[in-house]
Amino acid sequence: MYFSTDEKQIPKSKVPSGELKDKWSNFKNQAKLISPNNRKNYNVIIVGTGLSGASAAASLAELGYNVSVFCFQDSPRRAHSVAAQGGVNAMKNYKNDGDSIYRMFYDTLKGGDFRAREANVYRLAECSAHLIDQAVAQGVPFAREYSGYLSNRSFGGVQVSRTFYARGQTGQQLLLGAYQALMRQVKAKKIKSYTRHEMLDLVLINGVAKGIIARNLDTGEITRHTANAVVLATGGFGKIYYLSTLAMGCNGSAIWRAHKKGAWVASPSWTQIHPTCLPQSGSYQSKLTLMSESLRNDGRIWVPLSKNENRKAADIPEEDRDYYLERRYPSFGNLAPRDIASRAAKERVDAGHGVGTLKNAVYLDFKDAIEKQGKEAIAKKYGNLFDMYQKITGINAYNEPMKISPAAHFSMGGLWVDYELSTNIPGLFAIGEANFADHGANRLGANSLLQACVDGYYILPQTLPHYLAQSGKPDPINSDDPAFIESELKVKKQLEEFGEINGHKTVDYFHRELGKILYDKCGLSRSEKGLTTAIEAIKNLRKSFYTDLKIPKKIDGINEELEKAGRVADYLEIAELMCIDALSREESCGAHFRTEHQTNDGEAIRDDKAFNFISCWQKSDHGPVLIKETLDFEFTTPTERSYK
Amino acid sequence: MDFKLKIWRQEQSSEKGKMTSYSVKDISPDMSFLEMLDQLNENLTLSGQSPVSFDSDCREGICGQCGLFINGRAHGPNAHTSTCQLHMRSFKDGDTIYIEPFRAAAFPIKKDLKIDRSALDKIIISGGFISVNTGQAPEANQTLISSDSVEAAFDAAACIGCGACVASCKNSSASLFTAAKISHLAQLPQGKIEHKSRTNQMVRKMDELGFGSCSNTGACEVECPQGISISHIAFMNKSYFK
Ligand SMILES: Cc1cc2nc3c(=O)[nH]c(=O)nc-3n(C[C@H](O)[C@H](O)[C@H](O)COP(=O)(O)OP(=O)(O)OC[C@H]3O[C@@H](n4cnc5c(N)ncnc54)[C@H](O)[C@@H]3O)c2cc1C
Ligand code: SF4
Ligand code: FES
């Protein structure tokens, strides 16, 4: 056995009582407050300056708390939220197309294949409308109709238009709004910003989160930081697959080091593999670029019917094309949810119908849309995406179809949190993509910018003070406490050890190998045999990492190889837990597709009797321990997730 | 493809730097410029030499973390392209490529090709925001904004904060960066109220941080990966002197 199960521990979700629509109000009505004069006596550490971290920092600082924020980039504005293209969902029902909070809640819950907490998902939908107001007030230039009203489009997995967008740079514009709010508080001296600092450990005193150990990436200095509460807003760890849509520095280290201090990780294997990315073109490749899913509003996806097709796309007549999404999912067609669209692409590619030099892609074709709407209309909607496509591939997509393929994109899994966004360690919170919460087993497009903002602007500013108020007077925390000293020593020792291995392979070599194992065995489809092979392969790779790694020895000053070594060392451990998590869940749900659990025509079979729970993983000396948070569907009945 | 590289190596800010020669072989034309440097660095690391420090994160032209001076041009030979979006197909087999950091008095070199651009954050801190607290905003459609104004605001808001404008300006002026933010916020009704004070604060900060002043050469606009127009600078100056 790779893990054990502890049926006795029952995670406390802390969902307030009452009707679904009243729960969040009930929480707020009963939450404990701290009076304005006392707030300055509390220090809060926020690791991460993406949408979740920046919005939380600005909001808490405006309330009067002292906030320190950390990021590894050279400016908070560069957090990877900046790269989100397509848009952000919000329930405004501006289109009068039947949208409502309930419908958005239900779409999200169903999109996640009924593997999320109802109350959390409802709150996400409930807070969504206000976010748009907030962002507009900050100066986010969302697209407008000619009349001056805000414009919307639709995204995969829903039948209403509730996505707000700012050209193809929605994440950038939302992040700049949050970043500017953050900088305003830096000016007001309520926030201290530590850029180029990487968190390398979480410090607990008597089981309560009291600070972090960070490394200054420019000087190499290791520093101790104390606080009354610590918030991890460190984003997703999809970069574990090496080739992904994430940034080079994205990592799982902050949440993993918290896990090693006792925080539970929930469903780490649930990774969204995005259907519309640029295919890999060679072994040198360092990342895969996402082409926004919004393209699926007007582009049609197809592959040649024949396996041995040699003609150019334009020369292949209609009758020789297979529009497989329209064929298999007539009511959603090209807008089928991501997991389904990715799996369908993989199925066609595996069956030998792939296109491109490596036969690893499918076509995304705008010919019909350009004929109907004109090139100008398409350029207005997607111009920057077409430009980006041309920059990377050298191909003009107005003249021939794009080639796309699936790539690792979003971590549904992350630190387990309760309704108050607190982990199981008192004083440690997790927000944004770093937590496991609202998206269940599959995230709907344009819902994660939303989640990051809602966590940071609306939820944490209510729940974190509630925690502080309950924990009594702010005690002074001593950074010379043995807990800090011990953590710091451990961190330094690890950094030195990496340099001393002095083997024959670079960090990137190990990262690339790990990525291959995960794509192959713990990616779009998983099986018992594949996962057990992967676990052994990862263990071997980890062994060889600690005997054959080569990096420059220096630990003071800039050493990018050393930074990467720490991240990959953690990835090599996270990967194993991902495989164990996937192995333990003997059902198919959302992005988690176990080949043993499918219908004859390849659709997922979910098992609500046996697996209606969130898997929380606890670290122990005898391997991972599975703790189950049973999902209580009080207001909905889980149905089969059909998009046919 | 094979290339000769001449790269600026400098151990730290306080030390002197110099151009050093390297060569790379078997480079695919589809490789990005930074992937070519990754390959060089893997080889340097394995042979016990110190890899070349350079910055990058998103590698898709949006975070603004990358930025190299390539053959005398910020972000290399192609217009409206950041360094991470540059591909080797833009060079000829056998070329010698000169790679240097973005240089400006306000951007000290940290190591090799890595620079300190925190001065740009300081300009934003001085006033590059709308003073609205979170959670108190009115219904978004209450203030109608014409599609043209929003598009104009967006053109300026698209700045990625890379600093290429500063590096390509003979005066090391940060005018394009600063004007882009001023213009973004001033085009929107909610940003108009603070426009005058914001402009004064940001322009003064820019001067104080050691950036030069603008003499209208237009070099910044040419090198800006986001194609931000220098007309924003004229707008900023007009607002400042009004
Ligand atoms: C290419 C792309 C396109 C996307 N498009 C969309 C979209 O259209 N709509 C949508 O809703 N969602 C989209 N998403 C998802 C969405 O952008 C993210 O889920 C969301 O922005 C995450 O925000 P965050 O605040 O949780 O994390 P991030 O923005 O990733 O921020 C993480 C922060 O943590 C810091 N950090 C990480 N580790 C450490 C450490 N160890 N020490 C110190 N600091 C650390 C980083 O410096 C950074 O500041 C997209 C994602 C990608 C990758
Ligand atoms: S104005 Fe252009 S060149 Fe200057 S920082 Fe912004 S994006 Fe870079
Ligand atoms: S690495 Fe992000 S813009 Fe180049």
Side-chain angles (χ1 to χ4, degrees), chain A residues 524-558:
Chain A
L524 278 167
S525 63
R526 295 113 186 246
S527 69
E528 183 180 341
K529 185 158 167 275
L531 290 164
T532 46
T533 329
I535 293 170
E536 294 314 314
I538 293 166
K539 283 189 174 145
N540 287 335
L541 190 64
R542 197 163 60 221
K543 231 182 257 155
S544 118
F545 178 86
Y546 285 101
T547 51
D548 211 10
L549 175 71
K550 185 167 178 99
I551 61 164
K553 251 186 155 174
K554 163 176 149 159
I555 60 167
D556 50 346
I558 294 174

Short mmCIF file of all heavy atoms in Angstrom, two decimals, chain A residues 524-558:
data_model
loop_
_atom_site.label_atom_id
_atom_site.label_comp_id
_atom_site.label_asym_id
_atom_site.label_seq_id
_atom_site.Cartn_x
_atom_site.Cartn_y
_atom_site.Cartn_z
N LEU A 524 -3.88 13.37 -18.72
CA LEU A 524 -5.28 13.33 -19.17
C LEU A 524 -5.97 12.02 -18.84
O LEU A 524 -7.17 11.98 -18.65
CB LEU A 524 -5.33 13.57 -20.68
CG LEU A 524 -5.27 15.04 -21.08
CD1 LEU A 524 -5.00 15.19 -22.56
CD2 LEU A 524 -6.56 15.75 -20.71
N SER A 525 -5.23 10.92 -18.82
CA SER A 525 -5.86 9.68 -18.36
C SER A 525 -4.89 8.93 -17.46
O SER A 525 -3.67 9.05 -17.59
CB SER A 525 -6.31 8.83 -19.55
OG SER A 525 -5.19 8.45 -20.29
N ARG A 526 -5.44 8.22 -16.52
CA ARG A 526 -4.65 7.55 -15.49
C ARG A 526 -5.13 6.11 -15.34
O ARG A 526 -6.33 5.86 -15.51
CB ARG A 526 -4.84 8.25 -14.14
CG ARG A 526 -4.32 9.67 -14.07
CD ARG A 526 -5.40 10.72 -13.92
NE ARG A 526 -4.85 12.08 -14.01
CZ ARG A 526 -4.85 12.94 -12.99
NH1 ARG A 526 -5.38 12.61 -11.83
NH2 ARG A 526 -4.33 14.14 -13.15
N SER A 527 -4.23 5.19 -14.97
CA SER A 527 -4.64 3.82 -14.70
C SER A 527 -3.81 3.29 -13.54
O SER A 527 -2.75 3.84 -13.24
CB SER A 527 -4.40 2.95 -15.93
OG SER A 527 -3.00 2.82 -16.12
N GLU A 528 -4.30 2.24 -12.92
CA GLU A 528 -3.59 1.70 -11.77
C GLU A 528 -2.16 1.31 -12.17
O GLU A 528 -1.19 1.65 -11.50
CB GLU A 528 -4.33 0.49 -11.22
CG GLU A 528 -3.65 -0.05 -9.98
CD GLU A 528 -4.33 -1.27 -9.38
OE1 GLU A 528 -5.52 -1.50 -9.70
OE2 GLU A 528 -3.67 -1.97 -8.62
N LYS A 529 -2.07 0.64 -13.30
CA LYS A 529 -0.76 0.16 -13.73
C LYS A 529 0.17 1.35 -14.00
O LYS A 529 1.32 1.37 -13.54
CB LYS A 529 -0.94 -0.69 -14.99
CG LYS A 529 0.32 -1.33 -15.47
CD LYS A 529 0.01 -2.56 -16.36
CE LYS A 529 1.26 -2.98 -17.09
NZ LYS A 529 1.45 -2.24 -18.34
N GLY A 530 -0.35 2.30 -14.73
CA GLY A 530 0.47 3.48 -15.07
C GLY A 530 0.92 4.20 -13.82
O GLY A 530 2.09 4.60 -13.70
N LEU A 531 0.02 4.38 -12.88
CA LEU A 531 0.35 5.16 -11.69
C LEU A 531 1.37 4.45 -10.81
O LEU A 531 2.28 5.08 -10.27
CB LEU A 531 -0.93 5.46 -10.90
CG LEU A 531 -1.85 6.47 -11.60
CD1 LEU A 531 -3.25 6.45 -11.00
CD2 LEU A 531 -1.27 7.88 -11.54
N THR A 532 1.25 3.12 -10.69
CA THR A 532 2.24 2.42 -9.86
C THR A 532 3.61 2.45 -10.53
O THR A 532 4.62 2.63 -9.86
CB THR A 532 1.80 0.97 -9.55
OG1 THR A 532 1.34 0.38 -10.76
CG2 THR A 532 0.67 0.92 -8.55
N THR A 533 3.62 2.35 -11.86
CA THR A 533 4.92 2.47 -12.55
C THR A 533 5.48 3.86 -12.32
O THR A 533 6.69 4.03 -12.09
CB THR A 533 4.75 2.34 -14.09
OG1 THR A 533 3.67 1.47 -14.36
CG2 THR A 533 6.01 1.87 -14.77
N ALA A 534 4.60 4.87 -12.39
CA ALA A 534 5.07 6.25 -12.23
C ALA A 534 5.66 6.46 -10.85
O ALA A 534 6.70 7.12 -10.71
CB ALA A 534 3.92 7.22 -12.47
N ILE A 535 5.02 5.91 -9.83
CA ILE A 535 5.52 6.12 -8.46
C ILE A 535 6.94 5.58 -8.33
O ILE A 535 7.83 6.25 -7.78
CB ILE A 535 4.56 5.47 -7.43
CG1 ILE A 535 3.22 6.20 -7.43
CG2 ILE A 535 5.18 5.47 -6.04
CD1 ILE A 535 2.12 5.54 -6.64
N GLU A 536 7.18 4.40 -8.90
CA GLU A 536 8.54 3.83 -8.84
C GLU A 536 9.51 4.70 -9.63
O GLU A 536 10.63 4.98 -9.18
CB GLU A 536 8.56 2.39 -9.38
CG GLU A 536 7.77 1.39 -8.52
CD GLU A 536 8.06 1.53 -7.02
OE1 GLU A 536 9.25 1.64 -6.66
OE2 GLU A 536 7.09 1.57 -6.22
N ALA A 537 9.07 5.14 -10.81
CA ALA A 537 9.95 5.96 -11.65
C ALA A 537 10.31 7.28 -10.95
O ALA A 537 11.45 7.74 -11.02
CB ALA A 537 9.29 6.24 -12.99
N ILE A 538 9.33 7.85 -10.26
CA ILE A 538 9.59 9.12 -9.55
C ILE A 538 10.57 8.90 -8.41
O ILE A 538 11.48 9.69 -8.18
CB ILE A 538 8.26 9.74 -9.06
CG1 ILE A 538 7.40 10.17 -10.25
CG2 ILE A 538 8.53 10.93 -8.15
CD1 ILE A 538 5.95 10.47 -9.91
N LYS A 539 10.37 7.79 -7.70
CA LYS A 539 11.30 7.50 -6.59
C LYS A 539 12.73 7.36 -7.10
O LYS A 539 13.68 7.89 -6.50
CB LYS A 539 10.89 6.20 -5.90
CG LYS A 539 9.69 6.38 -4.99
CD LYS A 539 9.47 5.12 -4.17
CE LYS A 539 8.38 5.35 -3.15
NZ LYS A 539 7.56 4.17 -2.89
N ASN A 540 12.88 6.67 -8.23
CA ASN A 540 14.22 6.50 -8.80
C ASN A 540 14.80 7.83 -9.24
O ASN A 540 15.98 8.11 -9.03
CB ASN A 540 14.17 5.55 -9.99
CG ASN A 540 13.96 4.12 -9.52
OD1 ASN A 540 14.31 3.77 -8.39
ND2 ASN A 540 13.38 3.29 -10.38
N LEU A 541 13.94 8.63 -9.87
CA LEU A 541 14.41 9.93 -10.35
C LEU A 541 14.86 10.79 -9.17
O LEU A 541 15.87 11.50 -9.23
CB LEU A 541 13.28 10.61 -11.14
CG LEU A 541 13.66 11.88 -11.91
CD1 LEU A 541 14.67 11.56 -13.01
CD2 LEU A 541 12.41 12.52 -12.54
N ARG A 542 14.10 10.68 -8.07
CA ARG A 542 14.45 11.48 -6.89
C ARG A 542 15.79 11.03 -6.33
O ARG A 542 16.62 11.83 -5.93
CB ARG A 542 13.34 11.33 -5.85
CG ARG A 542 13.38 12.40 -4.79
CD ARG A 542 12.07 12.48 -4.03
NE ARG A 542 11.76 11.24 -3.38
CZ ARG A 542 10.54 10.70 -3.34
NH1 ARG A 542 9.52 11.31 -3.92
NH2 ARG A 542 10.34 9.56 -2.73
N LYS A 543 15.99 9.72 -6.32
CA LYS A 543 17.27 9.20 -5.84
C LYS A 543 18.41 9.76 -6.69
O LYS A 543 19.42 10.22 -6.18
CB LYS A 543 17.25 7.66 -5.93
CG LYS A 543 17.67 7.01 -4.63
CD LYS A 543 17.68 5.50 -4.76
CE LYS A 543 16.45 4.85 -4.11
NZ LYS A 543 16.12 3.55 -4.69
N SER A 544 18.20 9.70 -7.99
CA SER A 544 19.28 10.14 -8.86
C SER A 544 19.49 11.66 -8.77
O SER A 544 20.61 12.15 -8.91
CB SER A 544 19.03 9.60 -10.27
OG SER A 544 18.87 10.60 -11.20
N PHE A 545 18.42 12.39 -8.45
CA PHE A 545 18.55 13.84 -8.24
C PHE A 545 19.55 14.12 -7.11
O PHE A 545 20.42 14.98 -7.23
CB PHE A 545 17.17 14.42 -7.88
CG PHE A 545 17.14 15.90 -7.58
CD1 PHE A 545 17.00 16.83 -8.60
CD2 PHE A 545 17.18 16.36 -6.27
CE1 PHE A 545 16.94 18.19 -8.32
CE2 PHE A 545 17.12 17.71 -5.97
CZ PHE A 545 17.00 18.63 -7.00
N TYR A 546 19.43 13.36 -6.03
CA TYR A 546 20.29 13.63 -4.88
C TYR A 546 21.71 13.05 -5.03
O TYR A 546 22.55 13.25 -4.17
CB TYR A 546 19.64 13.14 -3.58
CG TYR A 546 18.52 14.08 -3.16
CD1 TYR A 546 17.18 13.75 -3.41
CD2 TYR A 546 18.81 15.31 -2.58
CE1 TYR A 546 16.16 14.63 -3.05
CE2 TYR A 546 17.79 16.19 -2.23
CZ TYR A 546 16.47 15.85 -2.46
OH TYR A 546 15.47 16.72 -2.12
N THR A 547 21.97 12.31 -6.12
CA THR A 547 23.34 11.83 -6.31
C THR A 547 23.97 12.41 -7.57
O THR A 547 25.18 12.39 -7.72
CB THR A 547 23.37 10.29 -6.45
OG1 THR A 547 22.42 9.92 -7.44
CG2 THR A 547 23.02 9.60 -5.14
N ASP A 548 23.13 12.91 -8.49
CA ASP A 548 23.71 13.27 -9.79
C ASP A 548 23.44 14.71 -10.22
O ASP A 548 23.67 15.09 -11.36
CB ASP A 548 23.17 12.30 -10.84
CG ASP A 548 24.18 12.08 -11.96
OD1 ASP A 548 25.33 12.54 -11.79
OD2 ASP A 548 23.82 11.50 -12.99
N LEU A 549 22.91 15.53 -9.31
CA LEU A 549 22.60 16.92 -9.66
C LEU A 549 23.88 17.75 -9.73
O LEU A 549 24.80 17.56 -8.95
CB LEU A 549 21.68 17.51 -8.58
CG LEU A 549 21.36 19.00 -8.72
CD1 LEU A 549 20.43 19.22 -9.91
CD2 LEU A 549 20.70 19.53 -7.45
N LYS A 550 23.90 18.68 -10.68
CA LYS A 550 25.03 19.62 -10.69
C LYS A 550 24.51 21.05 -10.79
O LYS A 550 23.78 21.39 -11.73
CB LYS A 550 25.95 19.33 -11.87
CG LYS A 550 27.19 20.21 -11.83
CD LYS A 550 28.24 19.71 -12.81
CE LYS A 550 29.46 20.60 -12.82
NZ LYS A 550 30.54 20.09 -12.01
N ILE A 551 24.87 21.85 -9.81
CA ILE A 551 24.55 23.28 -9.86
C ILE A 551 25.77 24.05 -9.35
O ILE A 551 26.60 23.48 -8.65
CB ILE A 551 23.32 23.64 -8.98
CG1 ILE A 551 23.58 23.30 -7.50
CG2 ILE A 551 22.05 22.96 -9.47
CD1 ILE A 551 22.59 23.96 -6.56
N PRO A 552 25.87 25.33 -9.69
CA PRO A 552 26.95 26.12 -9.09
C PRO A 552 26.78 26.16 -7.58
O PRO A 552 25.65 26.28 -7.08
CB PRO A 552 26.74 27.51 -9.70
CG PRO A 552 25.93 27.30 -10.93
CD PRO A 552 25.07 26.11 -10.64
N LYS A 553 27.88 26.09 -6.85
CA LYS A 553 27.83 25.91 -5.40
C LYS A 553 27.35 27.12 -4.62
O LYS A 553 26.80 26.98 -3.53
CB LYS A 553 29.23 25.55 -4.91
CG LYS A 553 29.33 24.10 -4.46
CD LYS A 553 30.67 23.84 -3.86
CE LYS A 553 30.56 22.65 -2.90
NZ LYS A 553 31.85 22.25 -2.39
N LYS A 554 27.58 28.26 -5.19
CA LYS A 554 27.41 29.50 -4.43
C LYS A 554 25.99 29.68 -3.84
O LYS A 554 25.00 29.53 -4.56
CB LYS A 554 27.76 30.58 -5.46
CG LYS A 554 27.33 31.93 -5.19
CD LYS A 554 27.89 32.81 -6.32
CE LYS A 554 26.91 33.93 -6.48
NZ LYS A 554 27.35 35.08 -7.10
N ILE A 555 25.91 29.99 -2.54
CA ILE A 555 24.58 30.21 -1.98
C ILE A 555 24.31 31.67 -1.61
O ILE A 555 23.18 32.04 -1.36
CB ILE A 555 24.24 29.30 -0.78
CG1 ILE A 555 25.21 29.51 0.37
CG2 ILE A 555 24.22 27.84 -1.18
CD1 ILE A 555 24.68 28.86 1.63
N ASP A 556 25.37 32.50 -1.56
CA ASP A 556 25.07 33.93 -1.40
C ASP A 556 25.03 34.54 -2.80
O ASP A 556 25.71 34.09 -3.72
CB ASP A 556 26.10 34.62 -0.50
CG ASP A 556 27.52 34.32 -0.94
OD1 ASP A 556 27.68 33.38 -1.76
OD2 ASP A 556 28.45 35.01 -0.48
N GLY A 557 24.21 35.52 -2.98
CA GLY A 557 24.10 36.14 -4.30
C GLY A 557 23.19 35.36 -5.24
O GLY A 557 22.61 34.34 -4.86
N ILE A 558 23.11 35.86 -6.48
CA ILE A 558 22.18 35.29 -7.44
C ILE A 558 22.66 33.93 -7.93
O ILE A 558 23.80 33.79 -8.35
CB ILE A 558 22.01 36.25 -8.64
CG1 ILE A 558 21.34 37.55 -8.17
CG2 ILE A 558 21.20 35.60 -9.75
CD1 ILE A 558 21.24 38.64 -9.22
#
